[in-house]
Amino acid sequence: MADAEPDEATLPTEAGLAESLTHCEDETMIPVLASRRASELPVNEVACLLQAELQYGLTHSEVSRRRAYHGWNEFEISEEEPLWRKYLSQFKDPLILLLLASAVISILMRQFDDAVSITVAIIIVVTVAFVQEYRSEKSLEELGKLVPPECHCVREGHLEHLLARELVPGDTVCLSVGERVPADLRLFEAADLSVDESSLTGETAPCSKSTAPQPAGANGHITSRSNIAFMGTLVRCGKAKGIVIGTGENSEFGEVFKMMQAEEAPKTPLQKSMDLLGKQLSLYSFGIIGVIMLVGWLQGKHLLDMFTIGVSLAVAAIPEGLPIVVTVTLALGVMRMVKKRAIVKKLPIVETLGCCNVICTDKTGTLTKNEMTVTRVFSADGLHAEVTGVGYNGVGEVLLDGEMVHSFSNSSISKIVEAGCICNDSLIRNNTLMGRPTEGALIALAMKMGLEGVQQEYIRREEHPFSSEQKWMAVRSVHRTQQDKLGVYYMKGAYEQVIQFCSSYNSKGLTLPLNGQQRELYQQQKSYMGTAGLRVLAFASGAELGALSFLGLVGMIDPPREGVKEAVGMLISSGVAVKMVTGDSQETAVSIASRLGLYTKGSQSLSGDEVDQMDLLQLSHLVSRIVVFYRASPRHKLKIVKALQHIGAVVAMTGDGVNDAVALKAADIGVAMGQTGTDVCKEAADMILVDDDFQTIMSAIEEGKGIYNNIKNFVRFQLSTSIAALTLISLATLMNFPNPLNAMQILWINIIMDGPPAQSLGWSLWTGT
Ligand code: ATP
């Protein structure tokens, strides 16, 4: 339940606030409050110290002034090493040092030609390695900037959507489920707020937060500061408002960040195996080179010649640049995926994408456009109305037997539309929807009937919010003119859920008892609409939640996205199975899946309840044949992923809600929605689809396969050049022939054979040519 501290002090009257501000106004200094001190003080004192207005927020000019003083809400990346030093550090490689030594020896022996050639060769080898490493670093840096954190902040009385870096101390920030806390906040309103602080404390259990001040001295450790939301933590549940007390390095996360900077990013499995391969090859090459030098020396060849040949061979044969090439290739590939609107957060995922063979995808918004429009209304007393027009506007009509229904001209139809408006959290303003598309479609329906004002005529007294687990939403509301009354419950949701709360039905304003025949009729209508691919919502209202009166059904279309059908076709033909996991009913899900070419003859569907009843083994026997999982909720996704992994599949799973996070973590490739996805979900994911489009997954998989193959080919190429050089010199030496190549020739061949292919490989991946 909502919690605000202390009632009067937290939400001060404007006059009171103005007074407190004048008392503590100090034009020059806006302090940053340590979270410990802020947690001990009452909110109004914190606001006073920070010269902030809790509900109105800061003014834009004040924000600029504070930014000039405190800087941006971000972390300073540590001083970069100058380029010349990075370049010189390439010379520390022992092989390069050996080559340098042989150049010096050549000078001493007055073989100036050799000395010059070796030096030029060294410079080229070192420059190529330097350019590769520099590019790899830059691309990795770019990756970090791809998903800038955002936040909701109140400024000059308006809620604004900003980049988190724009926050300054004293800003008022609103938090909701799934969001990342953008700065250290002293909370002043909190409703059922619980926060995952594992990024800060390592504690995985979410920690519940309130607004009450902590007793002084009792909050030594940050985990005990229960009225502070720390930067970088994640809101698991509830809503809250807080005032920014610390930004950037002045936040508690600043300390952790400094530690993180010292940590190197872990290597990908491919990088690790390349490191190992490089080491093994070096060992063998050194062995062979040692033997060549020894034999050459025994044959009476010049020792310096054998030494320079040995060192040149080592430079040519040892693939010391291999791990770097792999990193550059992966990083540049990832940047290329960004252009295709897929953000891959971790390099290893590029490899995993290359071997992915099952994609489990949401329906709404990923396969379909998530642009809902009501096309049919069926009332509990058996009337069918058709609805025309598309989009979130009032253009279109509701037609009953060819006649227009307007306002309350037909009570059965109007009651459904009225319930859809009252039990609704969304708004349409200037033809723009603010809220959920399913609810927007209901408001657009009301606009077509001239009933959109109904939403404002009621005051909400109680609310049961919608969740994908529950699949229904209900409110208890009273008309503004009857505020003394208890009010009426209005419910909307999946038919199977809503009907369970009903004991009667509405027939032209009368409430009649619900019998088996009626239920059967509604069930038939629901299936009929679903089979046509419509999303079906049922409506009910009444004085008691357990004994509501059924009002009717509404069917809305959500057209498939363009290009998805082709993408599905291509994936299936390249051996990647595509499965739909949706909260919608079987009829709707199967109909859309058939339209997209997913569900064909022999395909099967399974409900969330059936998934619940099976154990993992039973599900894994069946899972390869199932194409559609209907009436499924986030918790089923985890079981589906596990069952698929049990049979050896490499699974990509999409998700957007807070509860999807576990399944995304468990999947080999967790895919979050960039637009509709919550921060929690993006956090857990390995890849983010910028435009929520299914086709992007296909592009990413294609890209991953391409990158993987390129790396494999490059390794083969490198090996073959090394083996060729080693074999040639070994055979010549063993057979006591004069050396076919001298040191410089070996080095030059190496430069020509390895340098350009490595560069162009990265370049072709970058440009896509
Ligand atoms: P997915 O994106 O995985 O395909 P979905 O959008 O199909 O998920 P949900 O949003 O969980 O699934 O919806 C499941 C069912 O809940 C819908 O078929 C509908 O009947 C009902 N429903 C959807 N949105 C609302 C809402 N805002 N209020 C009440 N009921 C809803």
Side-chain angles (χ1 to χ4, degrees), residues 46 235 312 332 569 728:
V46 174
V235 181
S312 315
L332 290 183
L728 181 67

Side-chain angles (χ1 to χ4, degrees), residues 36 66 87 540 647 652 678:
R36 180 180 184 153
R66 292 185 185 209
Y87 187 75
I647 54 168
T678 54

Side-chain angles (χ1 to χ4, degrees), residues 332 336 339-340 703 760-769:
L332 290 183
R336 221 157 86 79
K339 286 192 180 165
K340 295 191 173 171
E703 198 66 47
S760 63
L761 179 69
W763 186 247
S764 68
L765 278 165
W766 178 238
T767 56
T769 48

Side-chain angles (χ1 to χ4, degrees), residues 362-364 436 438-439 466 468 471 473 492-494 535-537 581-584 631:
D362 288 334
K363 173 179 73 67
T364 315
R436 291 198 188 98
T438 304
E439 296 190 339
F466 171 78
S468 291
K471 297 187 174 48
M473 166 184 178
K492 73 177 194 306
R535 157 171 283 212
V536 184
L537 241 65
V581 186
T582 176
D584 251 330
R631 288 290 184 234

Side-chain angles (χ1 to χ4, degrees), residues 74-123:
E74 60 191 6
F75 302 109
E76 284 276 310
I77 309 288
S78 58
E79 259 310 276
E80 258 199 55
E81 210 184 347
L83 280 185
W84 61 267
R85 198 176 285 167
K86 278 189 186 166
Y87 187 75
L88 282 189
S89 67
Q90 298 288 336
F91 286 91
K92 284 188 201 149
D93 184 335
L95 286 175
I96 299 292
L97 288 176
L98 276 178
L99 270 183
L100 276 174
S102 65
V104 171
I105 296 173
S106 302
I107 294 174
L108 294 179
M109 308 218 27
R110 305 197 152 270
Q111 294 171 354
F112 294 114
D113 297 358
D114 282 6
V116 170
S117 311
I118 293 176
T119 315
V120 173
I122 293 172
I123 291 173

